Amino acid sequence: MHRDYKELLEEIADITTVDGFVSACLEIKESMFFYERDLMLSAYSASLELLTVVALLSAALKGKRELAKTQGEVERMVEGLLTELESFQFPLDIQYVVDHFTQGSGLQTRLRMPAYGEMIRHYASGIETSADDLDRIIQKAHKALGAVEPDAEQRLNTLLGRLGAMMLRGARLRPLWLKVSHPRIQVVLLGLQTLVNNLSVTPYYNFPLEDITIERQKRRKVKGNVVSDLGVVRNFRQGGSGHTDLNTALKKDEYDHFFDSLFSSFEHLDVEPDQTVVNLITMVLEVRLLNEDLSVPFLMRLLVYCNRWGLSEVSDAVLAVLAAIDPEDPLFYECWTLLQSFGGKALPAMRRFARANRNSPLLPYLAFFLSHGPPTKRRWSLLAEIFEHYPEENEEKAQLALSIGRYGGEEAVTFLEQALESTAKANGRYRERLKKALESAKQKVN
């Protein structure tokens, strides 16, 4: 059976009414040997999302105007379904299913829709995406999620759409990102992976897709009609081959197996890292800035691995994590210990952090680190710079002064004498701390 995007929209309209939703769920339920509510709802969402993307693809084969119109129609129908389901009062058994859908699979579908639209728009534009890999785009997506700009949500969906377009062309998503990503990003990644899994078993689409120009030629009949096959979608709902969020299939390479092992053991602790491993570890640490639920044992093993191989390249990310978590958090101690193990190799990252965060609560910790170890020009210059640019004469700045006193030497004595003369406070705790730091520095003059 061949249908164009208009007929696909009719099918979507049929299953996004209240009656259509109930009927589709019953159809899925009847195809199951053992009834499982979450699997049924996941199958409904996967079917709806597959239909949606097939409709968008078919519209894109027609042109930009058709694509924009189709996306608007699909989003309106999905929103309409969720609104109706939330406003109706159903019999108890149906209400139970509806509540789980609107709070689970339905909500996930709503979050994915903008990314699906961006995915097809990017694919239809024909812009080459080889400049970035999926890992880098996921890294950018997390940064967009953490941004406070008004267009942050649009930028996030645009990035996830780019990622989806690359997956349509055959790019592979690492299983790691489905485990560590922020839930807002994770839900879209899971949808994209389920989608491409289902497209791969769709006979009409020879997955992965080629350039849109070639795809148009492949579907053009003698009279120029562009068509698409709907049979696979119905076959999926009726118990045929297909994937849901609950049975996501992922291919793995050596890096995936390496990170998988760190979730449970130190099996690969002695495997020497290459640049790809270093990059991925850095990205995972950056994800921790947003995802507080990221597995702590996994992070601990990552830090042990970094210590084992002296991966000072991750210093910037470790500093960012230290600044974001509570000093009482066990992860704080592990990150701090790792940073100390890098010694002087961590100084460039510390300088970058200090210059970007002049009043960070982490600076007294960095000053404490700098005050220990053999005196060097780099240590001293950074220690003095942190103190000079700290904006307030408070307890934190007093701690910085004590670290300078602990560092000691003639330069420290002169520096603290000048600080004591220039302080705006004639007395008080801050001034007393400066005097104490000065005495400590004098004791360490050779």
Side-chain angles (χ1 to χ4, degrees), residues 236-305:
F236 175 53
R237 288 212 307 269
Q238 293 167 358
S241 59
H243 297 268
T244 72
D245 291 357
L246 303 180
N247 66 331
T248 307
L250 289 155
K251 295 180 180 178
K252 298 182 180 181
D253 62 14
E254 58 181 326
Y255 298 106
D256 300 322
H257 290 295
F258 168 79
F259 281 98
D260 275 352
S261 74
L262 287 176
F263 276 93
S264 58
S265 69
F266 287 112
E267 179 184 351
H268 293 103
L269 184 62
D270 292 328
V271 175
E272 185 174 0
D274 60 13
Q275 193 58 49
T276 298
V277 170
V278 174
N279 291 342
L280 288 171
I281 290 175
T282 301
M283 292 177 196
V284 170
L285 292 173
E286 290 174 352
V287 167
R288 174 57 183 79
L289 301 177
L290 293 171
N291 186 10
E292 296 182 2
D293 294 328
L294 207 162
S295 169
V296 174
F298 170 68
L299 284 173
M300 296 291 196
R301 293 187 188 97
L302 274 187
L303 297 176
V304 170
Y305 182 81

Side-chain angles (χ1 to χ4, degrees), residues 407-446:
Y407 183 87
E410 293 182 0
E411 280 184 303
V413 170
T414 303
F415 186 90
L416 289 171
E417 286 176 340
Q418 293 173 349
L420 198 58
E421 291 175 4
S422 63
T423 180
K425 298 184 177 181
N427 49 43
R429 185 173 176 79
Y430 174 69
R431 189 176 182 84
E432 291 302 316
R433 289 296 190 96
L434 281 181
K435 291 179 180 179
K436 183 178 179 180
L438 178 58
E439 290 302 316
S440 177
K442 288 179 178 179
Q443 292 175 9
K444 295 190 177 182
V445 175
N446 294 327

